[in-house]
């Protein structure tokens, strides 16, 4: 079976060898189409049905307005309401459905890229912010912040939450790093991640036990994980952090590719290993922290989506995988969120309920596949 | 000025010295091979030479420039490596793995120019692996993988190439092919430094050998200079077994005790008999053998009772007497069937002598084993 010899083109005519760029463009176009479809469905479907042509008109007005206002900034959502008319329909679209869908897209993408960076770091395809307990770590610190700081500060903004989640992510990543040491074994890393996740959950529960009822309500609704209640401020914040993080990751795509050959080789090719490792940890933590702070812990997207992306691209070139993962994650989360809010409407499912249904089987499949490979 | 030089290099881990006073000088296009027993520090020396491990004392120079004074990028253009790390890149074609060798020369995003592609193709054809270029690296056999890793090192266009046991895992054909490529590289002016376990191959491929044992360099020089009869046996503490430098062949432990079988042979007919007796642990005597006979080389490594005669002279009565005395003490004789001529007529006399004394004479080892299971 291994002998699937050359049905490949003769490498001598290597001019054709574009290194998978053609496939990349195709995949990106398909993903963009899917994203457009997901957007359309998300905006269209809901407990209040709105006619498609009305939506299109509103969107068109909004687009014109936001293009005109792109550089002036300012009270985007309020003024937008003024332009598109303050009808209930436009409220539903512009204040509820659209920001929610945008947040799902941006955070889904960020989560996927974060997972991808972790997989590069651990040289292990099973790594991801949720699987390694990093989301739980973020949750722990966010929980502590919500419980203890809200007493002092009253309302806690998304910025503070992101910082808290970032601290939690970094702490747990370092902890996993400490425990896993030189472990290259896929299942061991997983075990370490799960254990660290339990420790963090235990700490969170401990805090909840001693917290006042009011604070706990806040925490519980947040920790369920959901994109609901998103507003434009959150979307803007998430977009700035995530897009910046993804672009920065793209800048280190060359050393990332070399890093995949192992540290010895990377070093001999001139990669500054320590800098790359620190960058990987910082960016992956930042991205997953942003997600956890704004939408709560979301499971399996970080593992499943990069895997799907690599399979689609048939390549692991970081220059292609990073942007494609972002897009793919956006599509994945937008569609999952659509399912989460429509499947049992008016009851909304937790977003993790849906992502786990699709993501967990992929993880199991990868475990089995990698085991088979080793036994060969 | 030498291409490559070490001055009083001391290497080791964590501040403790493993090997010190390594002084090596290599010209352009020379091949240096490190040999020595397991744990002698071959890999440690290679790692230090490649700056993957900081030397504890002394320094390494390429073209008169101190290695520790170079930037990582400068070094990566001077030196490439083939390590023992088994890399597991996902979804990378062989051409992509090889192209990683262009790392020091490509732009920020690692894009390949036409020149880079030419270098990749050139390296692939040098290791005769052009037909593998579009294959997924993870589907390759060990031999193919090693060729690809070698091509990667070649296309980095180094002036010095460092290889840690490049022939490990390879079958004999791939070993020979790989070493031929290294010879070819040397001819093109690349200085090659590597470690090998196969002493026979090391002697044949290397311009210079560095023997490592214990905490110092046991010997450094051309194979002819440093290899005496028992260099290898001393280097590897081979005392129970033995190693024939001329033929690169290993003999296992000598059977102990007084000889029970006398073998009459010549011109190579005795070798399989001697080895067969060694396998069944039967001590034997052999004679009369000319000292330029392969039988003699093997016999004296497997038995303490060998009667030999100087070559190109007829064997004498003295030889016969010595041999017949030994033969009388043995329970059986094997006549391995040497061509009988005028110079070795004493051997024919020896057979007749055995028959006259009623000592059984067998024409092969198998014939003897069938009959004498009990007595021998």
């Amino acid at each position: 079976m291994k002998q699937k010899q050359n049905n490949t083109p003769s490498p001598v005519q290597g001019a054709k060898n574009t290194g998978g760029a053609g496939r990349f463009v195709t995949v990106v176009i398909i993903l963009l189409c899917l994203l457009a479809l997901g957007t359309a469905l998300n905006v269209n479907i809901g407990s209040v049905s709105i006619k498609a042509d009305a939506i299109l008109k509103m969107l068109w007005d909004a687009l014109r307005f936001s293009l005109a206002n792109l550089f002036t900034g300012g009270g985007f959502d309020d003024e937008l309401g003024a332009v598109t008319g303050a009808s209930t329909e436009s409220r539903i679209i512009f204040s509820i459905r659209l920001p929610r869908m945008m947040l799902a897209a941006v955070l889904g993408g960020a989560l996927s890229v974060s997972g991808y960076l972790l997989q590069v770091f651990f040289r292990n395809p099973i790594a991801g912010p949720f699987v390694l307990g990093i989301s739980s770590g973020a949750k722990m610190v966010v929980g502590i912040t919500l419980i203890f700081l809200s007493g002092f500060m009253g309302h806690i903004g998304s910025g503070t939450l992101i910082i808290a989640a970032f601290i939690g992510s970094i702490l747990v990543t370092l902890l996993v790093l400490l425990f896993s040491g030189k472990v290259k074994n896929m299942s061991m890393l997983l075990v370490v991640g799960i254990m660290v996740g339990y420790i963090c959950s235990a700490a969170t529960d401990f805090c909840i036990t001693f917290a006042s009822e009011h604070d706990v309500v806040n925490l519980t609704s947040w920790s369920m994980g959901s994109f609901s209640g998103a507003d434009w401020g959150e979307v803007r914040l998430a977009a700035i952090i995530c897009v910046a993080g993804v672009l920065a990751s793209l800048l280190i795509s060359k050393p990332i590719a070399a890093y995949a050959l192992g540290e010895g080789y990377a070093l001999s090719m001139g990669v500054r290993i320590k800098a790359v490792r620190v960058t990987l940890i910082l960016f992956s933590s930042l991205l997953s922290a942003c997600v956890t702070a704004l939408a709560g812990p979301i499971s399996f997207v970080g593992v499943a989506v990069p895997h799907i992306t690599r399979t689609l691209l048939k390549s692991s070139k970081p220059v292609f995988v990073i942007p494609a993962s972002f897009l793919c994650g956006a599509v994945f989360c937008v569609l999952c969120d659509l399912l989460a809010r429509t499947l049992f409407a008016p009851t909304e499912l937790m977003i993790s309920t849906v992502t786990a249904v699709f993501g967990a089987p992929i993880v199991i499949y990868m475990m089995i596949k990698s085991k088979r490979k080793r036994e060969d | 000025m030498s291409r490559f030089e070490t001055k009083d290099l001391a290497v080791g881990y964590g501040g403790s010295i493993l090997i010190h006073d390594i002084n090596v000088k290599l010209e352009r296009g020379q091949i240096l091979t490190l040999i020595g027993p397991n744990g002698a520090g071959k890999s440690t020396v290679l790692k230090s030479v490649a700056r993957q491990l900081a030397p504890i004392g002394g320094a390494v120079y390429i073209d008169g420039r101190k290695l520790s004074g170079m930037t990582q990028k400068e070094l990566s253009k001077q030196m490439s490596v083939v390590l023992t790390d088994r890399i597991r890149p996902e979804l990378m074609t062989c051409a992509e793995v090889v192209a990683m060798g262009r790392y020091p020369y490509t732009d920020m995003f690692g894009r390949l120019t036409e020149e880079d592609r030419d270098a990749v193709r050139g390296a692939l054809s040098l290791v005769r692996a052009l037909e593998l270029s579009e294959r997924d690296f993870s589907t390759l056999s060990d031999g193919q993988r090693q060729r690809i890793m070698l091509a990667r090192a070649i296309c980095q266009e180094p002036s010095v190439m460092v290889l840690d046991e490049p022939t490990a895992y390879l079958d004999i054909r791939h070993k020979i092919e790989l070493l031929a490529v290294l010879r070819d590289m040397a001819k093109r002016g690349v200085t090659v430094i590597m470690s090998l376990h196969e002493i026979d191959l090391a002697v044949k491929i290397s311009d210079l050998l560095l023997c490592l044992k214990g905490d110092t360099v046991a010997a450094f020089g051309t194979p002819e200079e440093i290899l005496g009869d028992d260099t290898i046996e001393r280097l590897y503490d081979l005392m129970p077994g033995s190693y024939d430098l001329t033929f690169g062949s290993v003999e296992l432990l000598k059977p102990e005790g007084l000889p029970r079988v006398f073998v009459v042979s010549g011109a190579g007919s005795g070798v399989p008999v001697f080895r067969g007796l060694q396998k069944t642990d039967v001590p034997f005597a052999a004679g009369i053998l000319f000292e330029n006979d392969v039988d003699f080389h093997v016999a004296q490594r497997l038995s303490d009772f060998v009667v030999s005669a100087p070559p190109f002279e007829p064997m004498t009565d003295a030889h016969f007497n010595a041999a017949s005395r030994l033969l009388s003490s043995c329970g059986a004789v094997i006549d391995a069937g040497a061509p009988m001529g005028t110079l070795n007529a004493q051997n024919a006399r020896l057979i007749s002598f055995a028959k006259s004394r009623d000592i059984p004479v067998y024409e092969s080892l198998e014939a003897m084993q069938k009959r004498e299971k009990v007595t021998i």
Side-chain angles (χ1 to χ4, degrees):
Chain A
M1 195 194 89
K2 262 188 171 174
Q3 290 297 337
K4 51 173 182 186
Q5 285 271 323
N6 305 319
N7 49 357
T8 47
S10 162
V12 186
Q13 41 170 263
K16 204 195 138 279
N17 181 1
T18 49
R23 198 178 173 94
F24 171 70
V25 172
T26 317
V27 168
V28 165
I29 290 174
I30 292 173
L31 287 175
L32 282 174
C33 292
L34 281 174
L35 188 61
L37 178 72
T39 312
L41 289 174
N42 253 312
V43 172
N44 208 5
I45 300 176
S47 44
V48 179
S49 73
I50 302 169
K51 283 204 181 70
D53 54 343
I55 294 175
L56 279 178
K57 189 185 174 305
M58 281 189 281
L59 280 177
W60 175 242
D61 288 341
L63 188 67
R64 267 191 338 207
F65 170 80
S66 42
L67 278 181
N69 267 26
L70 193 58
F71 300 103
T72 55
F76 189 61
D77 32 347
D78 300 333
E79 289 174 40
L80 197 63
V83 172
T84 53
S87 65
T88 325
E89 279 91 351
S90 86
R91 278 271 160 224
I92 288 173
I93 301 254
F94 288 103
S95 301
I96 299 175
R97 290 189 194 167
L98 211 48
R100 175 173 179 154
M101 170 261 146
M102 298 275 267
L103 194 68
V106 170
L107 295 187
L111 208 49
S112 313
V113 174
S114 166
Y116 174 72
L117 296 179
L118 284 172
Q119 287 156 25
V120 171
F121 183 89
F122 287 103
R123 264 187 229 100
N124 191 332
I126 211 102
F130 189 83
V131 173
L132 293 186
I134 295 172
S135 299
S136 311
K139 179 184 162 184
M140 176 180 72
V141 181
V142 169
I144 292 171
T145 314
L146 280 175
I147 291 172
F148 294 106
L149 279 190
S150 61
F152 301 107
M153 297 171 58
H155 176 69
I156 292 180
S158 336
T160 319
L161 286 187
I162 290 178
I163 293 170
F166 182 63
I167 293 170
S169 303
I170 292 267
L171 281 179
V172 170
T173 312
L174 293 179
L175 201 64
V176 170
L177 215 59
L178 190 74
F179 288 154
S180 66
K182 297 269 172 202
V183 172
K184 292 278 178 287
N185 186 326
M186 200 145 134
S187 28
M188 265 319 288
L189 187 66
L190 203 60
V191 171
V192 170
I194 290 169
M195 290 306 135
V196 171
Y198 275 130
I199 295 172
C200 293
S201 298
T204 315
D205 292 344
F206 182 81
C207 294
I208 289 176
T209 315
F210 294 98
S212 72
E213 215 158 285
H214 166 74
D215 297 329
V216 174
V217 171
N218 246 343
L219 182 61
T220 324
S221 72
W222 169 81
S223 70
M224 298 277 277
S226 164
F227 293 115
S228 69
D231 63 41
W232 284 107
E234 284 178 357
V235 171
R236 194 158 38 206
L237 188 63
I240 290 169
I241 294 178
C242 296
V243 170
V246 171
L247 287 181
S249 312
L250 262 181
L251 290 182
I252 56 164
S253 59
K254 183 182 170 186
I256 284 180
Y259 191 81
L261 293 192
E263 263 165 57
Y265 284 113
L267 203 61
S268 82
M269 292 187 276
V271 177
R272 279 179 301 175
I273 299 279
K274 271 191 191 138
V276 172
R277 285 174 71 97
V278 170
T279 318
L280 282 173
I281 286 295
L282 282 181
F283 285 163
S284 66
S285 298
L286 180 68
L287 290 174
S288 73
C290 192
V291 177
T292 312
L294 295 177
I298 299 176
S299 61
F300 295 111
V301 177
V303 182
V305 172
H307 177 72
I308 297 171
T309 312
R310 277 191 294 256
T311 313
L312 286 176
L313 290 174
K314 288 208 173 122
S315 162
S316 57
K317 273 192 181 171
V319 188
F320 297 153
V321 176
I322 292 173
S325 272
F326 185 83
L327 266 182
C328 193
V331 171
F332 188 84
C333 278
V334 164
L335 294 180
C336 283
D337 187 43
L338 183 68
L339 290 178
R341 70 187 179 86
T342 55
L343 222 46
F344 295 97
T347 309
E348 270 197 23
L349 297 175
M350 279 160 61
I351 181 73
S352 282
T353 313
V354 184
T355 54
V357 167
F358 294 106
I362 291 179
V363 174
I364 294 172
Y365 165 76
M366 283 163 72
M367 295 285 286
I368 294 170
K369 199 182 76 171
S370 90
K371 186 146 185 286
R372 207 181 295 145
K373 223 185 229 172
R374 265 206 307 276
E375 281 166 1
D376 270 353
Chain B
M1 188 170 54
S2 316
R3 163 57 59 85
F4 177 89
E5 195 174 354
T6 64
K7 280 187 188 152
D8 302 328
L9 183 67
V11 304
Y13 287 100
S16 63
I17 294 178
L18 201 64
I19 303 165
H20 54 85
D21 288 320
I22 306 169
N23 287 293
V24 170
K25 232 179 211 187
L26 292 174
E27 300 307 324
R28 200 171 169 274
Q30 280 192 317
I31 297 182
L32 168 72
T33 305
L34 277 58
I35 58 174
N38 282 336
K42 299 188 291 289
S43 294
T44 315
V45 172
L46 290 177
K47 270 188 195 147
S48 311
V49 157
R51 216 179 72 175
Q52 307 229 335
L53 190 66
I56 296 177
V60 183
Y61 300 84
I62 292 181
D63 291 329
R65 279 194 67 196
K66 220 175 182 175
L67 226 62
S68 53
M70 292 187 191
T71 67
Q72 218 162 323
K73 192 166 182 177
E74 282 171 335
L75 179 62
S76 64
K77 290 181 178 179
Q78 291 287 339
M79 185 185 277
S80 68
V81 295
V82 174
L83 306 169
T84 46
D85 311 9
R86 307 198 89 190
I87 66 161
R88 292 180 310 175
E90 236 193 320
L91 294 169
M92 273 178 98
T93 65
C94 294
E96 282 170 352
V97 173
V98 174
M100 291 308 299
R102 300 305 294 169
Y103 191 94
Y105 306 98
T106 54
D107 68 2
M108 189 174 168
F109 291 99
R111 279 178 295 205
L112 299 176
T113 62
E114 210 32 61
E115 191 188 330
D116 293 322
R117 289 183 205 287
D118 284 344
V120 171
R121 274 194 292 274
L124 275 168
S125 74
L126 207 65
V127 300
R128 286 172 220 97
L130 255 184
E131 75 281 1
L132 296 178
S133 43
E134 296 308 314
R135 279 270 295 277
D136 188 324
F137 184 81
S138 57
T139 66
L140 299 187
S141 71
D142 284 335
Q144 291 169 328
R145 272 172 204 234
Q146 200 64 345
R147 269 193 284 168
I148 296 301
M149 292 322 283
L150 184 59
R152 192 210 64 81
I154 289 171
C155 106
Q156 207 171 323
E157 292 176 0
S159 53
V160 178
M161 223 155 101
V162 175
L163 307 96
D164 195 356
E165 288 185 23
T167 55
Y169 308 116
L170 300 192
D171 64 29
I172 186 68
R173 185 195 125 198
H174 287 108
K175 279 180 192 176
I176 293 171
E177 282 179 1
L178 188 113
L179 294 181
V181 175
L182 290 182
R183 240 311 138 213
D184 202 13
M185 290 309 296
K187 218 185 286 168
R188 288 160 197 250
V190 177
T191 300
V192 176
I193 303 170
M194 65 176 156
S195 59
L196 284 182
H197 264 310
E198 301 85 350
I199 312 147
D200 47 331
L201 296 178
V203 171
K204 286 160 198 159
I205 183 86
S206 319
D207 299 305
L208 292 162
L209 285 179
L210 183 71
C211 306
L212 297 176
K213 189 190 185 183
D215 58 356
T216 53
V217 173
F220 170 63
T222 65
E224 297 74 33
E225 274 168 17
I226 61 167
L227 292 181
D229 267 349
D230 57 351
T231 318
I232 299 301
E233 279 146 18
R234 270 190 289 123
L235 184 62
Y236 286 88
D237 288 326
L238 222 51
M239 259 21 227
S242 69
Y243 185 84
D244 188 298
L245 198 59
T246 319
F247 300 109
S249 71
V250 178
E251 299 302 341
L252 304 177
L253 305 186
K254 256 180 213 174
E256 277 183 39
L258 289 170
R260 285 187 268 158
V261 179
F262 193 96
V263 184
V264 180
S265 71
S269 66
V271 174
V273 179
F274 302 150
R275 289 185 178 155
L277 288 167
Q278 190 279 336
K279 230 178 269 175
T280 46
D281 202 26
V282 176
F284 65 91
I288 308 164
L289 293 168
F290 286 125
E291 279 154 15
N292 65 343
D293 195 321
V294 275
D295 278 353
F296 173 72
H297 280 270
V298 176
Q300 68 159 358
R301 290 178 188 281
L302 291 177
S303 164
D304 290 327
F305 308 95
V306 181
V307 181
S308 66
F312 311 120
E313 295 276 349
M315 294 168 182
T316 64
D317 285 343
H319 296 127
F320 173 78
N321 290 338
S324 59
R325 219 173 304 132
L326 265 174
L327 189 149
S328 311
S329 69
C330 293
V333 173
I334 297 176
D335 178 8
M340 290 297 173
T342 49
L343 295 183
N344 63 348
Q346 297 290 359
N347 275 343
R349 204 177 141 201
L350 216 47
I351 301 290
S352 319
F353 172 78
K355 284 177 179 160
S356 72
R357 288 296 188 89
D358 278 340
I359 299 174
V361 177
Y362 299 97
E363 76 278 14
S364 70
L365 181 61
E366 291 74 32
M368 183 192 80
Q369 282 166 337
K370 232 178 263 167
R371 281 295 186 77
E372 307 248 348
K373 245 178 210 141
V374 193
T375 51
I376 299 291

